[in-house]
Amino acid sequence: MDTYYNPADLKKFGGITEFQKELGDKFFEYYGEVFKEGALTAREKSLIALAVAHAVQCPYCIDAYTTDTLEKGATEAQMMEAVHVTAAIRGGSSLVHSVQMMNKAKKISM
Amino acid sequence: MKSLLSRGSPLDDSAAQLKAIGEFSELLRGLPRFREKLASHGMNPLHPARTEIFQVNAGKMCNQTCRHCHVDAGPDRREIMTRETFEACLKVIAATEIPTVDLTGGAPEMNPHFRWFVEEVTRLGRKTMVRCNLTIILANERFRDLPEFFARNRVHVVSSLPYFEKAHTDRQRGDQVFEKSIEALKLLNAQGYGREGSGLPLDLVYNPSGAFLPGAQASLETEFKKALQSRYGITFNALYTITNMPISRFLEYLQNSGNLDDYMERLVNAYNPAAAAGVMCRNTISVGWDGKLYDCDFNQMLDIPVASQGSKTVFDFDARALGSRSIAVDQHCYGCTAGAGSSCGGATV
């Protein structure tokens, strides 16, 4: 069945270099560097990636970073807390805009 | 849960297991054969290096029935090594300079000849390593003094603890295994095991609780040490990360959960030539409960014997013939060469 998102396409991610090799190679080199142990551990970075995957609603990224966080020893509770951080920021970003709504409403109301 | 054998599962048959991982689907049939992969890096056939470990499987009897067990061990298994076979092992150990004897199972402590054998190996001046599942120490009053026994014989204890939390551990190893493992670790610590300067090494084994690969060994060791120390006051020496081998009960799990294709593809894609060069079968000889010789414990469970002429059992052990053999490989070997590699001593790269 044709779908916009095919799980098998995740394995073809590396193939994006076919149409633009130089930029693709640079991206993957950068990507690899970003996820190395640094000031943050590889596990912390993986949990951030999992949270961001939910924010950008990328099914490929959710599959990839669910596996990756488990491999890096994260618990299901930690993974779900990461997604709650996404939800809190997404929800908060809507609600904080309500200040603008309130400002405007107060300005134009008697 | 019962063993594949007592459930009459088709996967009790080792040939069926090899067929399942090599030919079960179009994807699996299309994956490169392990020997071809070795050949592409100039390593086929694989030859042994100096034998460092004499691994003795004392039998399939165990007090646990773990979901991922590559031995299909359990309380319903009765195959255990006889005194005569242990004696033949001792003759080989005495006649060679292999420095380490690695005792595994099942739960090797359940074999009635276990303590005698450990004492004899100690008397021969070799290092004894016991793969203790921890819960055996609490399984029966007669095992309660195992920590003292281990300490008296300077046994190197290697124990499985898939995670420092209950849910992961119990899902893989059975109900209440986590609490019992923690209690057993405290008893081992009380004997000095895993304590700095005691000379009594206590290593833990992590393996993933599902169809994914282990993460970096050093990072997980740091996490384990921090969590076990802060929550339970437990210390240990090293953490070994081991990849689940796609055979026996873990293979059954992969099939039943629809993960077999993806898992095998993952192992193949993660093939690391450096890990292939350091595989444990190059420095290990594995002895089955019945005295037959194998390149490793996994080949033993798949009934793939050593390919040496005239030396097939511990009763006709010939170090020279074994040293010139080619190591027998098949698709399951990808489990030891993925990523940072995997062996009974953890990552190999």
Side-chain angles (χ1 to χ4, degrees), chain B residues 276-329:
Chain B
V279 281
M280 64 179 171
C281 50
R282 298 195 63 210
N283 71 354
T284 303
I285 278 286
S286 160
V287 187
W289 66 273
D290 54 0
K292 287 181 187 156
L293 299 176
Y294 302 89
D295 296 305
C296 71
D297 206 48
F298 302 120
N299 277 8
Q300 183 181 139
M301 301 314 151
L302 290 167
D303 300 313
I304 303 172
V306 281
S308 60
Q309 295 299 319
S311 184
K312 296 279 192 189
T313 75
V314 76
F315 301 101
D316 57 16
F317 191 95
D318 179 343
R320 188 168 293 179
L322 288 162
S324 60
R325 77 192 192 277
S326 296
I327 291 167
V329 297

Side-chain angles (χ1 to χ4, degrees), chain B residues 39 44 64 74 81 107 131 134 141 146 210 215 232 238 247 253 310 319 332:
Chain B
N44 188 49
Q64 291 184 187
M81 189 173 275
R131 301 201 174 255
L134 296 174
E141 199 54 45
L146 276 171
Y232 309 106
I247 66 173
Y253 156 76
H332 64 291

Side-chain angles (χ1 to χ4, degrees), chain B residues 187-206:
Chain B
L187 294 172
L188 287 163
N189 274 173
Q191 287 297 320
Y193 271 101
R195 301 292 193 200
E196 206 173 335
S198 70
L200 294 172
L202 170 62
D203 295 335
L204 296 184
V205 174
Y206 162 92

Side-chain angles (χ1 to χ4, degrees), chain B residues 16 31 47 69 149 179 193 210 270 299 309:
Chain B
L31 292 176
H47 289 295
C69 183
F149 173 80
E179 290 95 329
Y193 271 101
N299 277 8
Q309 295 299 319

Side-chain angles (χ1 to χ4, degrees), chain B residues 62-195:
Chain B
C62 191
N63 60 314
Q64 291 184 187
T65 319
C66 302
R67 287 183 71 193
H68 70 300
C69 183
H70 71 277
V71 179
D72 194 28
D76 54 352
R77 300 302 298 258
R78 293 289 174 267
E79 306 93 323
I80 57 168
M81 189 173 275
T82 61
R83 170 111 177 182
E84 182 195 13
T85 307
F86 274 124
E87 281 170 354
C89 290
L90 286 172
K91 277 186 191 163
V92 170
I93 295 162
T96 61
E97 294 178 350
I98 303 172
T100 302
V101 177
D102 180 348
L103 260 167
T104 186
E109 302 90 339
M110 291 176 81
N111 188 304
H113 311 296
F114 169 79
R115 294 190 191 215
W116 160 79
F117 183 71
V118 168
E119 285 166 348
E120 290 301 310
V121 172
T122 306
R123 217 186 309 279
L124 288 171
R126 309 304 163 88
K127 187 171 91 173
T128 312
M129 188 183 271
V130 171
R131 301 201 174 255
C132 172
N133 71 14
L134 296 174
T135 63
I136 189 69
I137 296 172
L138 306 166
N140 187 296
E141 199 54 45
R142 69 192 164 102
F143 298 123
R144 288 293 171 114
D145 66 337
L146 276 171
E148 293 96 311
F149 173 80
F150 290 150
R152 204 162 51 243
N153 289 281
R154 316 301 287 175
V155 168
H156 179 164
V157 177
V158 181
S159 293
S160 283
L161 189 72
Y163 205 61
F164 46 77
E165 290 190 350
K166 178 179 167 59
H168 282 239
T169 304
D170 287 3
R171 275 207 304 260
Q172 185 183 101
R173 297 178 73 77
D175 287 345
Q176 297 185 321
V177 166
F178 183 73
E179 290 95 329
K180 290 176 184 170
S181 299
I182 292 297
E183 197 179 336
L185 284 169
K186 287 179 178 173
L187 294 172
L188 287 163
N189 274 173
Q191 287 297 320
Y193 271 101
R195 301 292 193 200

